[in-house]
Amino acid sequence: MSPRLPFLVLVGLVGGSIVVGSAQGSRPTLVAAPRPVAGLTAPAVRPAAAGATWYCAGGTAQDGGLADHRVIVANPTDGEATGTLTVFPGRLELAGTTTEPAASDRTPTTEAFAVAARSRATFRLADMRSAPVAAALVELDRGGLAVEHQVVGANGGDVAPCASAAASSWHFAWGSTSRDAREVLVLFNPFASDIAVDASFATEAGVREPLGWQALIVPARGVVGIDVGQDVTRRDQVAATIRARGGGRLIVDRLQVFDGRAGRRGLSLSLGQPDPTEIALFPGGRVGAHTGERIVLYNPDDDPAEVEVHVQTPGTDRAPVQPFEMVVRPGRYEVLDYAAEDRLPRDVDHVTVVRSRNGVPVVAERVQNAGSQLSAAPGALFRASTWVFPAVQADGAQPPSFTVVNPDADHPARVSVDLYAEGRRIPRPELQQLDVPAGGRITVPVPMPLPAGAGSAAPAATAGSPGWRGASVVVRSDRAVVAARDGRGDGVVRAGGPGIPVGDHLDPPL
Amino acid sequence: MLVVHDPGDWFTVTLAALAAQDYPALRVLVVDAGSSASAGVSERVTAAMPDAVVHRLDGNPGFGAAANEVLDRPAIAAGVEYLLFCHDDVAPARRATQALVDAAQATGAGVVGPKLVSWDDPRRLRQFGCLVDKAGVAIPVVEPGELDQGQHDGLRAVCEVPGAFTLVHAGLFAAIGGFDEAIDRLGDDLSLCWRARLAGAPVVVTAAARVRHREVLAARLAPAERERLSSRHRLRVVLTSYRWWYLVRLLPQLALWSVATVALALVRLRPGHARAVVGAWWWNVCRPRSLWRARRHVGRFRRTSDREVRRLQVPGLVHPMVLLQRAGVGTGTRRRAVRDRLDAWCAGWTRGGAAVLLVLAGVLLMGSRHLLTRGVPGVGDFAPFGAPRDLVGQWFGTWRPTGLGVDAPAPTALGVFGGLGALLRGHDGLLRLACTVALIPVGVVGAVRLLRPTGSRWAPVAAAVAYAAVPVPYVALADGRWAPLAVYAAAPFLLGGLVRASGVAPFGSSSLMRDILHLAIVGGLLALAVPAAALVVLFLAVGLAVGCLLALDLRGALRVVLAGLGGTVAAAALQLPWAVDAARSWRVPGSWAAGLRAPVEVDAGGLLALGSGAVASAPWTWGLAAAAAVPMVVGRSWRASWAVRAWVLACGGWVTAAAAAGGWASGWGLGLPDPALALVCTGAALALAAGIGMAALEQDVVGRSRRLGFRRLVVVLGWVGLVAATVPVLRASLDGYWHLPRGDFGEVLAFVDHPPSGPPARILWLGDPAALPAPGWAFGSGPEAATADGATMGFAVTDGLPTLPARWPQRRGPVADRIDRAVQLALTQQTARLGGQLARSGIDYVVVPQRRAPSPVTAPEVPAPPGLIEALAGQLDLERVDVDPAVVVYRNLAPISACDRRGGPCYGGPASDRAGTGHRLLLVGQAVLWLGAVAAAIGLRRRAGAVRLPATAERSERAQRSEPGPAPPEPTLPEPAPSEPEPVAAGVDDRPSGANGGATTTRRTVRRRRSVKIKAKESEPPPEVVESVKVIR
């Protein structure tokens, strides 16, 4: 018998097995790599992390400073957490004057701390170092903790999340250098190498790249606060992009001050946005006789962005508002002023969704004003089942409130709001098991100050912040929702910014 | 014609011998070439031979010019038929002149020479004609000093006769213009004989003419002068004798060989030899008019083509062989054996086949030219070897301070390469060259040897071309991967051992033990580079055994399996400490099976193309399969059955490669070899099939039919496929580097390798496994690994830049796990203090390669896994060091304690002394095993040689038994030349004759026919009755 015949049979079997084998399984990863947490350059809490680092850039650390800088570390978990707080003093270039810290205060100082379970710790940086501008680095030995920072000045105060990661580029959609305004960008470089950064500013007069902002050196382990108005003078609207050269990374905060000379007053603190996104959600908002709202869209990309701004009024019988279609040119911004748009219902709570139609991401920011008070905040970039608000004031005339949006159009969500303070989870029965309809929203007022006996003894960790009383608020849901502070608050103007989401893997809000 | 110059006392004997010649018509003309008066030439001649005429010249123009005086004598015109040119230091026997004339008349020879014997001891032979090669290098027929027992007696056609006593036909002498007067001493006889051949006259020697020769000229000239004169005169003969076309082909060869000779002479500290070679060219180049005139003169009397002249000469260039002998390669019997081997080797080639192999060698040389001249960049596995002392020390010890420290026996390669490095005095580059680029020609030579037993002179050529077209080694070279290269070099030899072990014609071997030893030694050598070498042996054996089963050859399958198992076990045993450690712990790392580095990715299309990359470009490489398919279609008898075996093995390689690339066995926790290793085995099998296809062409297609049928069409397609498969290799050879990056990170990262103080810094390499300079570990001990979505990433640790010891994978220990966890924390943003965590492992630098070589070298990009650079940039205690865009370097700012430093208590250390003693015992055992294996192989080889002819007969008989069809050709007996040589002249038979007869062709006769040495012919009739001369070809 010819040997070819059995061979051909064998070849057939082998070929078939190869085909079947190839069709059934794909080649596994030979060497598996842990995937970095994509998108978490925006602040987020990793509940199961072995550690966490938070960067709080903007603020001053001198008595009578522009924006007195405080850091609030909230520990809503059931275990004590330890960590270190390092204060980095820096120079401030304001109105053509450069102010350096004193020679004795030029080096960073580190302080170890512990935060008891279900507590929060507040640190005033001026108590640790005296500097015209100071940043804080918070290193924690475990996850599940959230860090915010707060600034208080003569024109008001604001609170914003600290950054949970550094980035090589930061974008701000809004800002103003008008006669009554002062926009200060605080650049924080906690790393071991100097960084050179370039900045560009988009104004109503076009894009500007001031010479002083090109190859600007941010020293290693240093902070620089620079008044944008020195180079971009008298502009009502300034969008900014700061990029580090050579893959360097840093953190940039914006301090926006209105001194009341033109009828506007307020102090706004905002963390920049590292990456533009295709979707942003602004949970709360209302346009009325004394309140105004503007959506500022900024496109730092090289392609024009086609953006739709949807304004929804869930829970009402009103007809859907026709979306606003806008084209944002590369490197430019567009402003949508709700007060000037007739199609928007007045005195009705609404939700705003910004969505890019052509895939070109944008940076969106909302500017709200109530009377003369004015503040700004970014939209929510994620949805999560747990949101943390570390710094909730307890001394307002009107209790702070929170807006929860359920982006799931098919299933309702059940939400509970808890307060944590001084080692306790403060029971609020009326805040438990709140239903949020599918695609709907609710506003939850949280009574403040704390009831008597909620915490008579201040934790040791808060010794550095006498007089500052308050609580952390945690919003939990059985579904992924978006939670934000309600900007119409308690008399002190606050932007309705989102809280800090909790989760290892977060999805866009829609 | 007696040419005399200052003769000594012996001249009286010469004159007496001439006077005693019994040739009746002998007239003597003595030319005194400027002898001094004290010599008394005229008186002494007159006293001995009163009738002799003495003609005195004023000076000594040299033998040729003096002898040419006869052209001006009227005796030429007076009808003298023969001229006898005689030195003044010879003593011919009484019948010598008559014997020369008899030989000339019997054979029609134009030039006849005698048998020259020693002056003092006539029993010792001095000369009996010479053969020459195409460069004019003379090879004496007899060994000078050889005892004359009549073993060379007879008439022989030669290329050159000794000039001491030469009979020349007078008409021929006049026609060719006598001696070349530009040649004063040494070389005149070569010129005369060559020109006589060109004029159509045979040149013979006869043993009937016996002449004692005193060889005074040797004493008159210093050896260096003799070498100088003979070199330049030999070159003049060549330059004036060949036609232009032949000269154009020959001159480059001569020039190349001259360069090599000069280089070798300089290496051997023999500047005189080098000067002679260079001077020969210079002397001739400076005489263009003389050369031109000589060529024109030759053109006027040329009657014979160069081809006819070459037919009587030794094939090729003999000088290399002579040089080997002079260099002392073998003496006595061994030298003869070496020469015989060379002859037998040369006999196995056709001119076309040799040309193809030469072209192939040229392509490989051209493709490697920059690597040969500029060195092999330290890319991938080709990192520098390191200090020999360190290598040997690590091999001898049980603790290796490599990377994170290894408390295990070192690879044997460390000892071997350390020893070689010491011998080469640290010429690391040469060793790396031999271990990388040289492995490709080694594999091709193995393919040639694999097919030699088929008896076909074209099958080895086809196999060599097919194997050279296998793209795997070139891809491996470009990737800096050592394992596929090493397997490529060894696979044909391993396959050769297995096919011989099968006992099936035409490869059958007489000794299974010898084949097992062969496999063990080759496998052991391969295991120096590839820990999985034993698996390669086993894989080839299993594949071949399955092929034998399909070919219905159970006995062959069993023998192959037996040989494979034996070879595998023995090869593993030759790596004794290593093997014992692996067997003891039973924790062979998966990367061992995968070779030295992480496997390459091969897609389904690349499998058929035997790889991926620029060299493995489909569909060109598919031509290999087409060429290998020829014997499956057209082969008969053993060609068909061996084609099936080869194809089964090839399919096995493909399936294994597909399984390895597809991770089919990962579900069972099995680590299959690197796909490239399996593809090398497939390539070897395809080369085997392609070679067999050529044998099938010769025996199953040619001559069976003259029409262009299906079988011929298949053969043509196979040819086209084979040629097409070489196209990518040809294209890649233009690069000169085989696409290997032209530089390495040695200079860029010198600051980590040689810090200002202290030992080399410890480096953590992160990134794509293909970019890591040392085999490392996979990330993924934690749950985060499961989330990997196609990105690959590994890490390795080295102390300074990697050297040879870092090439072998280390066991993963707790320190590696700690590094793994730390990096994962950084990647997942759970820490911003990676430096502090790495400091606990003594890590000084974190390096992420993003290209295979630094700028501005052209090299493939190997991008870092997504997020890695960003994660490192986000660390507070790592400081970026900008050195080159191709590599991202971070310096660890966290303090490293002395405990964690190299040599510190936390670093680890050698095992106990007891373990060290055991290890050294194992090393001694290993050395004994190696020596024993080599000695046994040599012994078996000698025994096989002693019984070679019976074994051959047995094989032939076995072949006849196993195959009813035409018997396969005798493997080591090349077929005689297809065309019978033409007679040299009337009455001269140039067929092999003598004791061997003209009808029987055996290996010995073939060898002798090619040999420059003529053996004794005991049964050869006495010279007086010889009617034909043996023509030595």
Side-chain angles (χ1 to χ4, degrees), chain A residues 292-382:
Chain A
E293 186 174 347
R294 284 180 289 163
I295 300 294
V296 183
L297 305 175
Y298 173 47
N299 177 15
D301 210 306
D302 295 330
D303 299 316
E306 299 174 10
V307 182
E308 282 183 350
V309 179
H310 298 261
V311 180
Q312 301 166 358
T313 55
T316 66
D317 298 333
R318 295 180 179 273
V321 178
Q322 185 72 18
F324 298 93
E325 295 183 357
M326 310 171 73
V327 175
V328 188
R329 292 174 294 167
R332 298 301 183 91
Y333 66 87
E334 293 292 337
V335 180
L336 176 62
D337 189 353
Y338 285 173
E341 299 294 337
D342 294 337
R343 69 177 89 164
L344 277 174
R346 305 299 175 188
D347 295 324
V348 174
D349 291 336
H350 60 248
V351 175
T352 300
V353 176
V354 175
R355 186 195 301 267
S356 171
R357 287 193 309 169
N358 62 347
V360 177
V362 296
V363 178
E365 205 167 352
R366 179 172 62 178
V367 182
Q368 292 176 298
N369 67 285
S372 62
Q373 300 289 323
L374 187 141
S375 68
L381 305 180
F382 305 106

Side-chain angles (χ1 to χ4, degrees), chain B residues 842-924:
Chain B
I843 302 295
D844 295 289
Y845 288 90
V846 179
V847 178
V848 182
Q850 301 198 89
R851 292 174 74 234
R852 305 296 301 278
S855 303
V857 174
T858 304
E861 302 280 343
V862 192
L868 175 61
I869 301 297
E870 291 77 5
L872 294 176
Q875 301 306 310
L876 298 167
D877 48 6
L878 295 180
E879 180 185 22
R880 180 158 179 163
V881 183
D882 290 320
V883 290
D884 190 278
V887 64
V888 177
V889 181
Y890 280 93
R891 179 186 292 118
N892 190 359
L893 300 178
I896 301 175
S897 69
C899 179
D900 294 320
R901 286 277 178 200
R902 182 174 179 171
C906 307
Y907 182 80
S912 64
D913 291 341
R914 189 175 169 187
T917 305
H919 173 68
R920 288 182 187 98
L921 284 176
L922 287 177
L923 287 181
V924 172

Side-chain angles (χ1 to χ4, degrees), chain B residues 26-191:
Chain B
L26 183 67
R27 286 181 288 170
V28 178
L29 169 63
V30 179
V31 177
D32 182 4
S35 299
S36 60
S38 61
V41 172
S42 180
E43 296 79 6
R44 293 165 74 179
V45 169
T46 305
M49 293 183 293
D51 296 336
V53 178
V54 178
H55 176 67
R56 179 175 172 77
L57 302 177
D58 293 336
N60 183 6
F63 181 83
N68 280 352
E69 286 293 321
V70 76
L71 294 172
D72 302 329
R73 309 297 296 182
I76 299 297
V80 171
E81 190 175 3
Y82 293 105
L83 296 169
L84 180 62
F85 296 97
C86 180
H87 286 188
D88 59 4
D89 58 348
V90 296
R94 186 168 169 269
R95 292 200 67 254
T97 306
Q98 183 65 51
L100 292 178
V101 173
D102 289 346
Q105 290 179 341
T107 63
V111 179
V112 184
K115 175 167 72 176
L116 294 181
V117 297
S118 173
W119 179 273
D120 299 320
D121 183 2
R123 294 175 305 166
R124 299 286 175 181
L125 292 169
R126 301 307 305 171
Q127 272 191 322
F128 192 50
C130 295
L131 299 176
V132 297
D133 68 357
K134 58 185 174 185
V137 176
I139 302 100
V141 171
V142 300
E143 291 280 352
E146 186 178 344
L147 193 61
D148 183 12
Q149 297 173 306
Q151 69 270 33
H152 299 296
D153 285 358
L155 273 172
R156 294 173 187 278
V158 293
C159 300
E160 177 191 354
V161 299
F165 197 77
T166 307
L167 184 78
V168 184
H169 192 279
L172 171 69
F173 192 74
I176 64 177
F179 286 96
D180 185 351
E181 295 188 10
I183 300 175
D184 48 3
R185 287 163 294 179
L186 295 177
D188 42 17
D189 42 6
L190 172 66
S191 169

